Amino acid sequence: MEQKLAFLLFVCAVTLGGCAIEPWVKPYERANLADPIMSFNRDPVSASYIHHVYDSREGARGAGVATGGGCGCN
Amino acid sequence: MNNLLSGNRLSLLLACFLSFAVVTHVDAASVKGQAPNFTLKSLGGKNLKLSEMAGNVVLINFWASWCGPCREEMPLLNDLHKKYEPLGFTVLGVNVEEDARNARGFLKNFPVDFPVLLDNKNQVSKKYNVIAMPTTVVVDRDGNMRFLHKGYKPGDEEKYRKMVKKLVRE
Amino acid sequence: MKFSIWRFFPVLLLLPAILELQAAVLPEERVDLLYHKYDGGGVTIDGPSFLVRKNLGESVSVGFNHYVDNVTSASIDVEVSGASEYTEERTENSFSVDYLRQKTTMSAAYTVSDENDFDANTLNLGISQDMFGDLTTISMSFAIGDNTVGLNLDGSEDFSEDTKVRSYRLGVSQVLTKNLVMAFTFETITDDGYLNNPYRSVRYCNDPACTGFSFQQEAYPETRTSTAMAVRANYFLPQRAAIFAGIRVFEDTWDIDATTYELGYTFPYQDEWIFEASFRFHDQTKAEFYSDLFPSANAQNYLARDKELSTFTSTTLGLGASYEFGRSWARIDRGSLNLQVDWIDFDYDDFRDLTQAGPVGEEPLYSFDATVTRLFASIWF
């Protein structure tokens, strides 16, 4: 449990202190990352349904679909 | 495990998280200095040099076909170009993709009147320190950078228009 | 609700659909219409799911999802209990709002689920932030749910119990290279209240020699806390294709341990087609108070015979095809028609098939196959 709290606080510290890091993938290099096939959640309605199928029939739940990546626009 | 995210700890976490959410993000700034010169091939095939535009106000827009806000912005930039071109103004679209076919494909469906240049090796993007998509730089008649805008949200075209209107009067 | 396990609180069903936490741009404006069907183990469930999402101005996005399950169930639990096949309908509606301010997205969603013996209301709040030149996205969300469990049997109209659910979720996604993005997700969920299924029973030996067995009602603890952590990656292959891999580990206070592995391969064909193949393997150990056959009546404080809490594996093979259209249409951005089919094989290690003959406690272990079909159309505008 303490490990988990330590991890979460680490995330905070990194986010607060890391604003000066230079991005190593430039915005104009993100063509592949912006491709829909690279999305973690391309079809949300379909993805949430199949997760529901598993969550209702298995004992495990949580930490389902990831989000992120993408075009980094704006 | 029950206590992990109870009361105090959750508040602490949220405080951490929200503290950087408050940091304002500068998306428009004044820039100084000569606009770095460059020569790029246009979609039409001819080479185009920025210094050839001296005497005109130039709006340089870095864009890519995979970038949603960039696509949204294009017709509005086209309107801006058509309106102020007679007064000595031009938009220069700089496409940053490695493969020109993507730009061609997009423009076939949504054509524009201004020159579109291909920065497929990203040399110009680097020169202009492009750190957002899209990025818009407005250069005055003397070749100085006078306006920089990162990203695009509906309504931003008004900011471009104001700057262009001001600079064409100089 | 009957023998189905729809108590799983609905916001997590719709969370990816309705609460799209991605910073810097609002969720895409779109309309989706899905026909879903699950067929396996004597259970058939199908119905529609409809989603619409629209921007209001430049900073706000609103979404609405309507989902229906039409259930026809003669599952093994129904058959074993001697009950007859039943049908029921479950409806779920969800409304969400996203607010974008610079690089931060704040989201809220409210979901209501209704069936004749189970109601659930859930509120979900989330925040998401882009950082480090938009290479990192951190998102946090938390949800609270209030459910009411009823009993759809003659004489039990007054039966009503409550459960409360709280969940906290943290996600970090990181762009590593031009072609690789990874995501880490952590989620903890706590349920309190009446957690078992009022229709379900456990079985126990009638005598020490266990020559026969009888049923008694399940008894679950009044609380359950679970933690899940997942790592996922998407890698772009040359000539445009993508590989997806993910692992999720799970543990809870009921002593269930589970690991889920996923692998996927997406390959476009020409401009309009995207094909997908996927594989999933789920491995779990049983809850501490689960048993297929207890030695006697009231053998322990907590008793369960829900196969969902047993030791089992599930293996899935999935195939999908997507056809894109409308890139040059005036009114829309693009559209797609999609078909996805998944074949799931459930294999139980300590849940026995009582519809088959065998000495008490040595009936064949249960296993079944299910086919899940998703047919849907999406339009982005």
Side-chain angles (χ1 to χ4, degrees), chain B residues 53 55-59 75-92 113-115 138-139 141 156-170:
Chain B
M53 311 268 130
N56 285 331
V57 176
V58 184
L59 185 150
L76 301 161
L77 291 175
N78 200 35
D79 290 341
L80 203 62
H81 175 83
K82 288 198 295 205
K83 181 166 181 177
Y84 289 96
E85 201 196 1
L87 302 174
F89 166 74
T90 184
V91 172
L92 277 187
D113 296 332
F114 53 83
V138 183
V139 179
R141 298 188 191 277
D156 285 351
E157 65 274 15
E158 254 315 290
K159 299 183 186 150
Y160 306 160
R161 201 187 62 81
K162 280 204 179 92
M163 181 54 60
V164 170
K165 190 170 164 181
K166 174 174 150 201
L167 294 179
V168 290
R169 291 202 175 128
E170 285 177 3

Side-chain angles (χ1 to χ4, degrees), chain C residues 77-295:
Chain C
D77 300 299
V78 171
E79 290 196 32
V80 163
S81 74
S84 48
E85 181 184 88
Y86 71 89
T87 62
E88 82 175 344
E89 183 187 276
R90 181 177 81 95
T91 308
E92 193 173 295
N93 291 304
S94 180
F95 178 73
S96 78
V97 178
D98 284 67
Y99 173 62
L100 172 66
R101 190 179 127 85
Q102 287 156 359
K103 298 250 174 235
T104 312
T105 305
M106 287 168 267
S107 313
Y110 188 70
T111 306
V112 178
S113 170
D114 260 308
E115 57 200 278
N116 59 17
D117 51 10
F118 184 70
D119 288 323
N121 299 289
T122 320
L123 173 68
N124 195 301
L125 299 172
I127 184 168
S128 165
Q129 177 82 23
D130 270 1
M131 286 173 287
F132 307 149
D134 296 347
L135 296 186
T136 310
T137 305
I138 295 197
S139 58
M140 276 178 68
S141 67
F142 102 101
I144 40 178
D146 248 306
N147 310 334
T148 307
V149 181
L151 195 54
N152 194 21
L153 294 173
D154 293 329
S156 300
E157 289 80 5
D158 289 339
F159 179 87
S160 173
E161 293 283 353
D162 290 328
T163 65
K164 275 191 164 33
V165 189
R166 284 184 315 282
S167 100
Y168 302 95
R169 183 185 162 115
L170 171 72
V172 181
S173 90
Q174 178 69 48
V175 167
L176 293 175
T177 73
K178 291 194 301 188
N179 297 314
L180 176 64
V181 57
M182 286 186 69
F184 168 83
T185 315
F186 168 86
E187 185 162 14
T188 174
I189 305 172
T190 299
D191 309 60
D192 285 295
Y194 186 85
L195 302 182
N196 53 292
N197 184 314
Y199 301 98
R200 197 188 303 281
S201 310
V202 301
R203 66 167 180 159
Y204 59 89
C205 295
N206 283 335
D207 50 70
C210 211
T211 52
F213 63 88
S214 303
F215 290 103
Q216 73 173 110
Q217 214 189 1
E218 284 188 326
Y220 281 24
E222 296 207 331
T223 177
R224 176 188 190 191
T225 300
S226 67
T227 315
M229 283 192 274
V231 177
R232 297 185 173 89
N234 248 327
Y235 182 68
F236 191 91
L237 298 168
Q239 310 309 322
R240 199 177 176 225
I243 283 193
F244 166 81
I247 297 185
R248 173 196 57 186
V249 295
F250 172 92
E251 63 176 26
D252 69 5
T253 52
W254 288 359
D255 214 28
I256 299 178
D257 273 303
T259 312
T260 313
Y261 308 88
E262 287 177 302
L263 208 54
Y265 179 59
T266 307
F267 49 108
Y269 176 68
Q270 299 189 330
D271 279 335
E272 299 92 6
W273 291 95
I274 299 179
F275 295 103
E276 201 173 300
S278 66
F279 175 77
R280 179 184 186 275
F281 181 71
H282 174 85
D283 195 356
Q284 77 172 52
T285 62
K286 71 180 187 75
E288 187 267 325
F289 53 93
Y290 168 90
S291 177
D292 175 72
L293 176 63
F294 288 97

Side-chain angles (χ1 to χ4, degrees), chain B:
Chain B
M1 220 191 306
N2 267 341
N3 295 326
L4 174 63
L5 287 164
S6 65
N8 293 336
R9 286 180 181 176
L10 183 59
S11 315
L12 170 63
L13 214 55
L14 275 171
C16 275
F17 192 71
L18 289 171
S19 58
F20 59 73
V22 169
V23 170
T24 49
H25 171 73
V26 177
D27 57 11
S30 45
V31 289
K32 290 198 173 67
Q34 275 276 313
N37 196 12
F38 57 81
T39 309
L40 287 177
K41 200 179 212 134
S42 76
L43 265 186
K46 289 201 320 217
N47 278 354
L48 210 145
K49 216 170 178 165
L50 179 65
S51 51
E52 287 167 7
M53 311 268 130
N56 285 331
V57 176
V58 184
L59 185 150
I60 307 174
N61 177 257
F62 294 87
W63 70 282
S65 64
W66 48 258
C67 156
C70 304
R71 294 196 303 266
E72 257 186 82
E73 199 183 33
M74 289 292 254
L76 301 161
L77 291 175
N78 200 35
D79 290 341
L80 203 62
H81 175 83
K82 288 198 295 205
K83 181 166 181 177
Y84 289 96
E85 201 196 1
L87 302 174
F89 166 74
T90 184
V91 172
L92 277 187
V94 178
N95 179 272
V96 303
E97 298 174 71
E98 263 183 60
D99 193 340
R101 284 178 297 180
N102 296 317
R104 266 183 236 283
F106 172 74
L107 292 171
K108 202 164 80 165
N109 291 323
F110 302 98
V112 293
D113 296 332
F114 53 83
V116 173
L117 309 177
L118 304 169
D119 186 22
N120 55 6
K121 294 202 172 44
N122 292 137
Q123 287 165 337
V124 180
S125 308
K126 289 199 187 91
K127 263 194 204 169
Y128 278 78
N129 196 24
V130 170
I131 57 168
M133 288 297 294
T135 290
T136 301
V137 179
V138 183
V139 179
D140 67 17
R141 298 188 191 277
D142 296 324
N144 293 316
M145 296 186 291
R146 300 283 291 273
F147 176 80
L148 166 71
H149 188 88
K150 296 183 217 164
Y152 172 75
K153 289 194 170 62
D156 285 351
E157 65 274 15
E158 254 315 290
K159 299 183 186 150
Y160 306 160
R161 201 187 62 81
K162 280 204 179 92
M163 181 54 60
V164 170
K165 190 170 164 181
K166 174 174 150 201
L167 294 179
V168 290
R169 291 202 175 128
E170 285 177 3

Side-chain angles (χ1 to χ4, degrees), chain A residues 32 35 46 48 63-65, chain C residues 6 13 169 179 187 232 240 340:
Chain A
N32 295 343
D35 195 320
S46 167
S48 67
V65 183
Chain C
W6 307 116
L13 153 70
R169 183 185 162 115
N179 297 314
E187 185 162 14
R232 297 185 173 89
R240 199 177 176 225
Q340 292 174 300

